[in-house]
Amino acid sequence: MNRRRICHVTTVHPWQDTRIFERMCVGLARRGYDVTLVAPVRRPRSVACVRLVPTGLRTKVGRLFGAPALLRRLAALRADVYHFHDPELLPWMAWFRRAHPLIRVVYDVHEYYAETVVDSNYFGWRPLSRAAGTAFGYLEP
């Protein structure tokens, strides 16, 4: 039987995040899916039938601009569905989806980041946070 391959991607959340790892990844693995979690881990390994793969991105700047290497890593996994959890990946995953039209990409969002990045001054410099908010306002829909 050919099992569907599901890849969850987070560059920010710890791999053992309850919602992502326990509820989503382990839950899918228990239902027979082949599940990989690409997350901030030091080395590849398997936990509870879920393959853990390092993102290779360590800093906020790395997460913003190091995504091309991450996308190559994702493509090599050859999943059927990529489910990502971080707004920083939105433009990169949109590009990834266009480059791989036969796969499904799911953006799991819980906030309206166009406002969140501005209100929290996410980048520590208000003009950059406002610019990011404008970009998210365009990209999220």
Side-chain angles (χ1 to χ4, degrees), residues 8 14-16 20-21 25-26 35-55 77:
H8 279 265
W15 72 266
Q16 65 272 43
I20 296 171
F21 181 72
C25 294
V26 173
V35 182
T36 300
L37 173 58
V38 178
V41 296
R42 294 193 190 280
R43 60 181 173 76
R45 63 186 185 276
S46 287
V47 176
C49 297
V50 175
R51 258 186 327 165
L52 300 176
V53 174
T55 63
L77 294 172

Side-chain angles (χ1 to χ4, degrees), residues 71 89-100:
L71 296 183
L89 293 176
L90 187 58
W92 297 105
M93 293 304 288
W95 181 86
F96 184 75
R97 172 65 178 91
R98 284 183 185 87
H100 303 279

Side-chain angles (χ1 to χ4, degrees), residues 11 40 54-59 62-67 69-70 73 89:
T11 57
T55 63
L57 310 175
R58 300 194 197 308
T59 65
R63 289 192 309 265
L64 286 171
F65 300 107
L70 175 63
R73 186 170 291 180
L89 293 176

